[in-house]
Amino acid sequence: MSQMASMEELLGRALAEHLPLSAEDLAGLLQTPPSPELGDYGLPCYALSKYLHKAPDRIAEELRAEVELPEGVCEARAEGAYLNFFVDRPAVTEHVIRTILAGGADYGSDQQGAGKTIVIDYGSPNIAKHLGIHHLPSAVIGQSLYRIYEKLGYRCVGINFLGDWGTSFGRLIAGVERYGIEHPERLSVADMQELYVRYSTEADGEPELQQAARDAFRRLEEGEQQAVRIWSACREVSLEEFDRVYGRLGVSFDEVRPESFYNERLRETVERLRRDGIVQESQGALIIPLYEDGLPPCMLQKSDGASLYAARDLPAAEHRWEQYHFEKALYVVGNEQSLHFRQLAAALKQMGHEWADRIKHVNFGLIKFRDPETGRARVGSTRRGEMLLLDEVLDEAVARARRKIEDNAERLEAEADLGELAAQVGVGAVVFRQLSTRRTRDVVFEWDRMLDFEGDTGPYVQYAHARLCSILRKAGQPMAADVDHSLLALPEEWVLVRHLERFPRAVLGAAQECEPSAIASYLLELCADFSTYYSAGMREPDRRVLCEDAATRAARLALVEAARHVIRSGLALLGMAAPDRM
RNA sequence: GCGCCCGUAGCUCAGUAGGACAGAGCGGCGGUUUCCUAAACCGCAGGUCGCAGGUUCGAGUCCUGCCGGGCGUACCA
């Protein structure tokens, strides 16, 4: 959808007539003054003085006199070293609101990704274990990036790369055999986890048991029937649980691809690497030396011949390339694996894959827990019982949301809405909390913080949306086809319009940085502006959306409708529901 | 030792390709509900932007060094 040139572009072109810079560069220099009284757009002239060899405030003054104001701009003022522009607010307001209402859910969309594919690897849990709170970041960041890139026109492929292969499954198999479990298919995930811990504990300091586990994994790799039977039973049970929990979070995938899928290819890959002289044997293990890249070697096989996860990532990456010829392949995986992904890219490069640099590790901070004794934060461990289940956290969030909703039950239309609404708000709080902070920061888990519904939270945004919906319901009239936008003259209304105008840029920024928190921050600010506007109408009936004057009311309703669209779209980009009432 | 991430108000965090006086939420104090949903709004208090240099007309933002925390660093993923 081609839109009219933005105000920045128009101003950039006008300024370029008088300056030795391109219209694009000048448009980029424009910023929004700290307060609306100063102007709507501002150009800092400091940087220009090195081209013009004049004092910045003189440049501002001279430009003010010279520049021919483009249509829609009504005044330019020199303010010290800044040249500030005042736009024709009704015209901009009309343009912004019309664009949003015409585009609907498409507002903020872009065609930059047309014809391009982005592969996103997220989720990626290990089977035979519950999904814990530490699985939250990858799942929701990945899902949000998926939606953000999709909005920009990319074809996205979400892949859940299941950890179903590796030495740890040797212990599980050995455990089933050792403890005489006859029907492994009847084990629950909890049973498997317990079995794993039991065996690991027992094997501690027992070389025979450790050896038995290694043997079991080797038997699995060799395709021995009993090992395969136990392992695949465990996988089935795990998959069911993953489906359910990811479903609660609103997370889904296009492909659920187990690591074991690459078992065959792995052999071929290793053979090929041997032929090409890329791998070396070292201390009985198989490695790809990466000294030239300043990295430790990438280890493919242990000295007992069992494969390592790095070995599985190579054929998986090649396979993804063959399937999709991706523009980018994102791996939404924690900080702690940053070395692994640098090795992966370097190894692929050595294998001659030019596309290796299209791989991007979208890292995120760890979820940590406060040690009750030392007071210090550190990564949780299953052994210390610090494994918090994703299910538990969501259950608690939904329960709290439910209580809150019951306090305001009169707002609901039907009893039946309660369960679903509680889920939308409770889960929304958890998802938003994760996505509201820049992804690389570590976070210390705290119940009250994770489940907060007030202040800078998901429910705050959802609440603003519900209020907007409520106004529209109460209006009880269809959206007027033609409204007089000049009636939106309140300062708070102008602030809102400027904010709505920024949404497309927020989406582009979030995509560029792979940073969903940019959307979350945007929404919080937008909703704060709306809440201020809304509350101003509490005291003064004239300032309400549903005011006396019919024409003003119609114009304000259009603004409300536009804001509702944007909040709804923003929440969708975060993978959150936008309930109509709460 | 080396690598990656982080270090902004008591706490949790924003700070847009270096630019107009460092912002928000929580917590604290004080207000707001005959009024479009108070999961809200308004006001007050609170900051040597880890430290020291450097680049620049200008640095929370860029460079170097150091300090503090986290996570990695060949047979886990």
Side-chain angles (χ1 to χ4, degrees):
Chain A
M1 49 193 255
S2 75
Q3 289 186 9
M4 283 169 55
S6 70
M7 200 52 78
E8 280 97 338
E9 290 171 303
L10 292 175
L11 284 168
R13 279 180 223 160
L15 288 162
E17 297 290 319
H18 302 275
L19 293 166
L21 286 168
S22 72
E24 290 75 32
D25 288 346
L26 286 162
L29 285 172
L30 288 169
Q31 50 191 235
T32 304
S35 110
E37 294 86 60
L38 287 169
D40 300 312
Y41 295 90
L43 177 76
C45 299
Y46 303 97
L48 302 174
S49 58
K50 74 170 154 243
Y51 298 103
L52 304 179
H53 309 290
K54 286 184 220 169
D57 47 352
R58 227 182 105 202
I59 297 173
E61 181 49 42
E62 288 177 9
L63 278 175
R64 188 199 59 77
E66 291 168 2
V67 169
E68 190 175 333
L69 299 179
E71 196 183 337
V73 177
C74 43
E75 193 190 347
R77 273 188 221 160
E79 193 81 37
Y82 289 83
L83 178 62
N84 292 332
F85 299 95
F86 290 79
V87 299
D88 176 357
R89 293 185 179 181
V92 172
T93 297
E94 175 163 4
H95 176 241
V96 170
I97 292 179
R98 276 191 193 284
T99 304
I100 295 171
L101 296 186
D106 281 340
Y107 180 60
S109 295
D110 197 282
Q111 287 309 304
Q112 77 169 48
K116 298 173 184 164
T117 300
I118 292 194
V119 174
I120 311 177
D121 182 311
Y122 56 101
S124 307
N126 286 342
I127 64 161
K129 284 184 183 172
H130 285 297
L131 289 180
I133 188 67
H134 56 283
H135 290 106
L136 179 69
S138 177
V140 299
I141 292 168
Q143 183 69 37
S144 178
L145 291 176
Y146 187 106
R147 302 200 183 202
I148 289 167
Y149 278 111
E150 200 172 43
K151 193 168 185 71
L152 297 181
Y154 292 90
R155 174 196 176 203
C156 294
V157 182
I159 301 182
N160 192 5
F161 197 45
L162 285 184
D164 71 337
W165 210 247
T167 348
S168 59
F169 301 107
R171 290 191 203 170
L172 202 60
I173 294 165
V176 168
E177 290 169 344
R178 176 172 174 80
Y179 306 125
I181 293 161
E182 287 183 25
H183 297 284
E185 68 278 0
R186 291 184 198 162
L187 291 171
S188 67
V189 174
D191 295 333
M192 293 180 220
Q193 229 173 270
E194 200 187 311
L195 184 66
Y196 181 86
V197 172
R198 183 177 165 195
Y199 192 87
S200 303
T201 312
E202 203 180 337
D204 210 13
E206 297 281 338
E208 321 82 76
L209 293 190
Q210 288 169 21
Q211 189 56 46
R214 280 195 290 271
D215 287 345
F217 178 58
R218 215 197 44 248
R219 280 156 50 207
L220 182 62
E221 285 213 297
E222 287 162 0
E224 190 226 66
Q225 226 178 6
Q226 165 152 317
V228 170
R229 190 179 69 96
I230 296 170
W231 164 83
S232 91
C234 293
R235 198 174 74 176
E236 287 313 304
V237 174
S238 300
L239 276 172
E240 276 174 42
E241 181 170 312
F242 292 164
D243 262 4
R244 184 180 57 75
V245 181
Y246 282 129
R248 289 187 82 178
L249 274 177
V251 169
S252 61
F253 306 94
D254 299 303
E255 281 183 20
V256 177
R257 184 74 74 185
E259 286 185 23
S260 56
F261 177 84
Y262 293 104
N263 227 4
E264 276 310 308
R265 283 170 176 265
L266 188 151
R267 274 186 259 277
E268 295 164 20
T269 307
V270 169
E271 271 319 299
R272 191 173 77 230
L273 291 173
R274 272 188 210 280
R275 276 203 312 275
D276 297 349
I278 291 173
V279 291
Q280 281 180 10
E281 278 200 30
S282 170
Q283 299 168 39
L286 209 57
I287 62 165
I288 301 178
L290 300 171
Y291 306 112
E292 290 167 18
D293 299 278
L295 296 170
C298 179
M299 200 162 166
L300 304 181
Q301 248 177 38
K302 303 199 288 185
S303 45
D304 69 356
S307 72
L308 256 19
Y309 78 126
R312 280 160 249 143
D313 266 339
L314 292 171
E318 289 182 319
H319 185 221
R320 289 172 189 186
W321 173 253
E322 287 161 20
Q323 285 185 96
Y324 304 114
H325 289 84
F326 47 74
E327 180 75 11
K328 278 185 199 163
L330 308 181
Y331 288 82
V332 186
V333 180
N335 265 336
E336 73 279 10
Q337 292 203 37
S338 61
L339 176 59
H340 166 67
F341 285 103
R342 289 202 297 154
Q343 290 176 312
L344 179 65
L348 288 168
K349 201 118 201 175
Q350 287 214 4
M351 291 161 71
H353 296 312
E354 307 243 330
W355 46 266
D357 47 24
R358 298 189 183 200
I359 284 182
K360 180 177 167 64
H361 176 207
V362 178
N363 58 333
F364 56 81
L366 276 44
I367 292 192
K368 298 190 285 194
F369 295 87
R370 185 84 56 194
D371 185 315
E373 284 169 22
T374 65
R376 296 173 70 145
R378 52 168 167 57
V379 173
S381 93
T382 314
R383 263 174 305 172
R384 282 193 299 264
E386 290 167 332
M387 168 78 165
L388 249 183
L389 267 44
L390 205 38
D391 252 339
E392 292 178 72
V393 175
L394 297 179
D395 284 346
E396 181 60 25
V398 173
R400 288 197 197 188
R402 191 182 189 94
R403 262 175 266 147
K404 184 87 187 170
I405 295 163
E406 280 165 347
D407 291 343
N408 303 300
E410 74 283 358
R411 294 175 188 169
L412 288 188
E413 213 160 34
E415 185 66 20
D417 298 340
L418 203 152
E420 192 188 349
L421 183 56
Q424 291 178 333
V425 175
V427 174
V430 172
V431 170
F432 192 91
R433 175 59 70 209
Q434 173 64 50
L435 294 181
S436 63
T437 301
R438 248 172 49 233
R439 60 167 213 281
T440 47
R441 298 185 83 105
D442 289 348
V443 294
V444 178
F445 181 88
E446 284 166 286
W447 279 105
D448 285 341
R449 199 170 140 64
M450 183 65 90
L451 272 40
D452 196 4
F453 294 166
E454 291 169 16
D456 283 350
T457 65
Y460 174 85
V461 175
Q462 290 173 319
Y463 181 69
H465 176 266
R467 281 171 135 188
L468 288 159
C469 290
S470 177
I471 294 172
L472 292 165
R473 272 197 304 273
K474 294 224 158 129
Q477 64 190 66
M479 199 54 58
D482 204 21
V483 304
D484 180 358
H485 296 90
S486 71
L487 294 172
L488 296 171
L490 296 172
E492 293 90 340
E493 289 167 338
W494 177 240
V495 169
L496 269 176
V497 168
R498 286 303 305 276
H499 218 121
L500 293 173
E501 185 187 19
R502 271 177 39 205
F503 181 61
R505 284 174 57 184
V507 179
L508 288 169
Q512 192 176 340
E513 303 297 323
C514 289
E515 191 59 272
S517 69
I519 304 287
S521 300
Y522 170 85
L523 286 176
L524 286 171
E525 287 169 22
L526 175 63
C527 291
D529 289 343
F530 166 72
S531 293
T532 298
Y533 173 53
Y534 182 93
S535 300
M538 293 283 203
R539 287 248 165 234
E540 301 168 64
D542 285 352
R543 295 163 71 106
R544 282 181 212 159
V545 174
L546 302 176
C547 57
E548 280 297 316
D549 183 67
T552 305
R553 188 166 67 231
R556 288 179 181 170
L557 281 169
L559 175 63
V560 163
E561 175 73 0
R564 188 182 71 91
H565 272 299
V566 172
I567 295 175
R568 197 180 183 79
S569 301
L571 286 172
L573 292 179
L574 299 179
M576 288 169 60
D580 289 348
R581 52 184 99 214
M582 58 188 281

